[in-house]
Amino acid sequence: QEDLDAREYDIKAGGGVVTVKINGKLEIKNIELDEDIVDPDDIETLEDTLVAAVNEAIKKVEDINGEAMNKITGNISMPGLF
């Protein structure tokens, strides 16, 4: 679990205009924006793209962590243990 928590991932969204750096504990470490996504006249698109990017990053890390834990436990259900 410590190894999974320490990993960091760069997840791109919005066609690559937003990059979210997230760790295995689902902590957002950094968000990078391409200049093309920053339009003062269209803040709504930026907001929507950021939300999508963060949600995609969280989902990807949860999927990766789930797969790794399934390999370790052999898909045995142990509620409360992990």
Side-chain angles (χ1 to χ4, degrees), residues 2-80:
E2 288 179 26
D3 180 48
L4 293 173
D5 288 347
R7 292 182 186 178
E8 289 192 349
Y9 307 90
D10 289 324
I11 310 300
K12 294 189 181 290
V17 295
V18 176
T19 303
V20 176
K21 182 179 283 285
I22 186 170
N23 68 16
K25 293 190 282 186
L26 304 179
E27 298 170 335
I28 304 298
K29 304 307 270 181
N30 189 37
I31 296 177
E32 293 180 15
L33 306 174
D34 187 293
E35 289 179 9
D36 295 338
I37 193 69
V38 182
D39 180 354
D41 296 325
D42 188 12
I43 297 298
E44 188 174 324
T45 297
L46 176 59
E47 292 170 340
D48 292 345
T49 305
L50 287 172
V51 169
V54 170
N55 286 334
E56 176 65 24
I58 290 169
K59 182 179 180 339
K60 185 151 193 139
V61 172
E62 286 179 335
D63 290 348
I64 291 168
N65 286 351
E67 288 175 19
M69 292 309 292
N70 282 339
K71 287 180 184 176
I72 293 170
T73 64
N75 291 327
I76 296 171
S77 178
M78 293 181 259

